[in-house]
């Protein structure tokens, strides 16, 4: 049952009253909003600035992100870094660095042979020497070569030193691959080092607990065994990522049908608070038009699982024809018709502007009956969970 303290915190958050604290610490910051779907800055503001860089995360915070999202991999010497791909080829200048020309390898990753310059074959110092570039040629190229790969700890520090409460959303990325190629002392695994890093910086607490509200976090992974494993080490909320219908889980080799069944949702809900599916598996497209939505969101909600789909992008090539090249129509559809609880976007500023227009942060103690119902529903849900 939710405590009176947790309920009070919820109300303070909704009404924006937490800034009454005068101490210069986490409690004095503007709290994270919890009354509307979460704005998750996918790899930072990567629609504008090269992904997973300091600049991308600072920009995301500036333009309204609730959470900054990242992918965590490990270097050859066991240091945790923020980088999406297991290879460095597509978003760094590694191919132009002659001193690394002999580092190209072929490894099996998720059942597929991949050739390239692997993160796990470079020390942290070597990774830091590389320069990052924009992934997509149709996005702004002016920042290419200006920023470096950052560490997990640097990413955490960006969130903690923001002038308001900003959550983090780190992914345990490709843990099977990492544990195969990187070894730590005392038999520790990638997942152990990941959790130890979070605990070092004070991340703890169940969803909406006092500790979580001070330092919000969702831990995500496509690997269910990793999420189950760390459940014995941290009570921070976890999200199970779900890939395309044709791709099995990387660690358990389970099919999409298996991991989205009611039986599996009943099992995994013991360890996670939500799922993060690819949006086209929720509403499958045909000829770039949306078809009838599946019941995935409704069934997840029936198991008390939040749904945070990925990835929302403003460019016309990513927008289904139904939205008439208007990303705000897409946001409106997913929030108000599909009913998701948050979403991953490359353009966190656009989503923030949409939300400020449609459901602005309350300015004072007055609120509508609709918002009161949302508060009561939230409290009731966590009292009965």
């Amino acid at each position: 049952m939710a405590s009176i303290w947790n309920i009070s915190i919820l109300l303070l958050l909704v009404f924006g009253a937490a800034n009454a604290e005068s101490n210069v610490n986490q409690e004095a910051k503007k709290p994270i909003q919890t009354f509307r779907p979460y704005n998750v800055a996918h790899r930072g503001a990567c629609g504008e600035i090269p992904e997973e860089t300091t600049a991308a995360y600072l920009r995301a915070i500036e333009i309204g992100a609730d959470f900054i999202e990242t992918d965590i991999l490990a270097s050859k010497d066991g240091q945790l870094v923020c980088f999406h791909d297991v290879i460095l080829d597509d978003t760094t200048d590694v191919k132009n660095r002659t001193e690394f020309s002999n580092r190209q390898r072929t490894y099996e990753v998720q059942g597929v042979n991949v050739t390239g310059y692997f993160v796990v074959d470079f020390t942290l110092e070597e990774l830091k020497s590389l320069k990052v570039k924009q992934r997509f040629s149709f996005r702004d190229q002016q920042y290419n070569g200006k920023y470096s790969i950052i560490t997990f700890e640097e990413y955490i520090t960006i969130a903690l030193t923001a002038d308001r409460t900003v959550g983090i959303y780190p992914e345990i990325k490709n843990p099977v691959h990492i544990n195969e190629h990187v070894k730590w002392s005392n038999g520790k695994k990638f997942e152990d080092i990941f959790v130890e890093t979070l605990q070092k910086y004070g991340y703890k607490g169940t969803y909406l607990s006092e500790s979580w509200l001070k330092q919000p976090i969702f831990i995500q992974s496509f690997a269910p065994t990793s999420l189950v494993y760390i459940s014995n080490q941290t009570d921070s909320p976890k999200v199970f990522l779900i890939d395309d219908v044709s791709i099995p889980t990387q660690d358990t080799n389970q099919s999409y049908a298996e991991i989205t069944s009611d039986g599996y949702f009943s099992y995994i809900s013991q360890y996670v608070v939500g799922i993060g599916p690819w949006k086209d598996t929720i509403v499958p497209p045909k000829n770039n038009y949306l078809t009838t939505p599946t019941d995935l969101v409704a069934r997840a909600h029936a198991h008390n699982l939040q749904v945070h789909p990925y990835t929302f992008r403003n460019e016309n090539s990513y927008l289904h024809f139904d939205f008439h090249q208007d990303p705000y129509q897409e946001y409106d559809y997913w929030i108000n018709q599909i009913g998701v609880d948050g979403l991953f976007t490359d353009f966190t500023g656009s989503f923030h502007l949409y939300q400020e227009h449609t459901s602005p942060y309350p300015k004072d103690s007055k609120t509508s009956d609709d918002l009161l119902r949302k508060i009561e529903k939230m409290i009731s849900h966590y009292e009965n969970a």
Side-chain angles (χ1 to χ4, degrees), residues 7 20 26 34 57 142 149 156 286:
I7 292 173
Q26 286 297 115
T34 59
Y57 289 123
Q142 69 170 307
I149 294 171
I156 290 171
K286 183 177 181 180

Side-chain angles (χ1 to χ4, degrees), residues 280 282-287 289-294 322 333:
D280 281 0
I282 299 175
V283 187
K286 183 177 181 180
N287 299 323
Y289 284 97
L290 299 176
T291 62
T292 303
T294 68
D322 308 71
Y333 172 80

Side-chain angles (χ1 to χ4, degrees), residues 220-251:
Q220 56 173 330
S221 185
F222 285 97
T225 54
S226 293
L227 296 171
V228 172
Y229 177 79
I230 67 169
S231 293
N232 293 320
Q233 301 171 322
T234 176
D235 59 355
S236 292
K238 303 156 193 73
V239 172
F240 177 39
L241 299 176
I242 300 175
D243 218 320
D244 189 15
V245 296
S246 62
I247 301 177
T249 53
Q250 59 185 259
D251 52 342

Side-chain angles (χ1 to χ4, degrees), residues 47-65:
E48 302 179 30
I49 298 172
E51 63 189 48
E52 313 212 16
T53 58
T54 296
Y57 289 123
L58 291 175
R59 176 61 175 160
I61 293 170
E62 177 188 7
I63 57 180

Side-chain angles (χ1 to χ4, degrees), residues 41-144:
H42 183 239
R43 309 178 202 170
C46 69
E48 302 179 30
I49 298 172
E51 63 189 48
E52 313 212 16
T53 58
T54 296
Y57 289 123
L58 291 175
R59 176 61 175 160
I61 293 170
E62 177 188 7
I63 57 180
D66 296 322
F67 289 84
I68 52 174
E69 187 264 354
T70 197
D71 308 272
I72 303 302
L73 295 171
S75 65
K76 183 179 181 178
D77 49 348
Q79 302 301 305
L80 303 192
V81 296
C82 299
F83 202 78
H84 180 268
D85 301 352
V86 292
I87 58 173
L88 298 158
D89 302 44
D90 292 338
T91 57
T92 76
D93 62 351
V94 68
K95 291 180 180 179
N96 300 326
R97 300 287 294 275
T98 56
E99 68 268 39
F100 300 132
S101 59
N102 64 342
R103 297 289 184 90
Q104 193 175 70
R105 301 285 188 275
T106 299
Y107 295 137
E108 183 181 308
V109 182
Q110 292 182 241
V112 177
N113 284 332
V114 177
T115 299
Y117 297 87
F118 283 82
V119 172
V120 294
D121 289 329
F122 288 71
T123 66
L124 178 59
E125 182 179 4
E126 291 170 334
L127 291 173
K128 283 284 192 180
S129 75
L130 300 174
K131 296 300 180 182
V132 180
K133 62 182 180 179
Q134 179 58 256
R135 179 178 294 274
F136 299 113
S137 61
F138 49 80
R139 289 182 175 170
D140 194 346
Q141 305 295 302
Q142 69 170 307
Y143 302 107
N144 291 352

Side-chain angles (χ1 to χ4, degrees), residues 328-374:
Y328 293 99
Q329 286 193 29
E330 183 180 38
Y331 291 138
D332 191 69
Y333 172 80
W334 283 90
I335 298 301
N336 293 311
Q337 294 192 45
I338 303 302
V340 298
D341 308 288
L343 53 82
F344 294 70
T345 175
D346 287 3
F347 293 90
T348 197
S350 295
F351 187 38
H352 180 69
L353 290 174
Y354 164 79
Q355 289 194 299
E356 285 296 285
H357 176 71
T358 58
S359 54
Y361 201 98
K363 303 298 183 184
D364 53 40
S365 60
K366 292 183 179 180
T367 186
S368 66
D369 290 340
D370 181 60
L371 185 54
L372 279 173
R373 285 193 294 271
K374 289 181 180 179

Side-chain angles (χ1 to χ4, degrees), residues 155-314:
Y155 158 82
I156 290 171
T157 301
I158 291 169
L160 292 180
T161 55
D163 60 3
R164 59 182 175 85
T165 302
V166 175
I168 62 172
Y169 209 128
E171 178 182 348
I172 302 173
K173 191 76 174 181
N174 291 101
V176 175
H177 169 76
I178 296 297
N179 282 317
E180 180 181 355
H181 294 279
V182 182
K183 303 301 177 184
W184 287 270
S185 61
N186 301 321
K188 290 184 178 180
K189 299 167 58 177
F190 175 38
E191 293 90 338
D192 298 320
I193 307 302
F194 180 97
V195 172
E196 287 176 5
T197 303
L198 292 174
Q199 291 173 337
K200 174 181 176 181
Y201 286 88
Y203 284 93
K204 61 182 179 180
T206 56
Y207 181 59
L208 293 181
S209 67
E210 179 185 354
S211 295
W212 187 90
L213 290 168
K214 290 179 182 178
Q215 294 183 210
I217 181 175
F218 289 108
I219 299 170
Q220 56 173 330
S221 185
F222 285 97
T225 54
S226 293
L227 296 171
V228 172
Y229 177 79
I230 67 169
S231 293
N232 293 320
Q233 301 171 322
T234 176
D235 59 355
S236 292
K238 303 156 193 73
V239 172
F240 177 39
L241 299 176
I242 300 175
D243 218 320
D244 189 15
V245 296
S246 62
I247 301 177
T249 53
Q250 59 185 259
D251 52 342
T252 59
N253 200 38
Q254 291 172 284
S255 69
Y256 176 86
E258 288 178 279
I259 62 174
T260 58
S261 67
D262 283 320
Y264 195 80
F265 279 173
S266 180
Y267 160 74
I268 201 65
S269 63
Q270 301 173 74
Y271 304 99
V272 305
V273 300
I275 60 171
W278 181 35
K279 62 189 177 82
D280 281 0
T281 65
I282 299 175
V283 187
K286 183 177 181 180
N287 299 323
N288 206 35
Y289 284 97
L290 299 176
T291 62
T292 303
T294 68
D295 63 354
L296 184 67
V297 172
R299 290 193 299 105
H301 285 166
H303 289 275
N304 291 322
L305 294 170
Q306 296 184 44
V307 181
H308 302 169
Y310 64 90
T311 303
F312 290 76
R313 297 179 167 113
N314 285 9

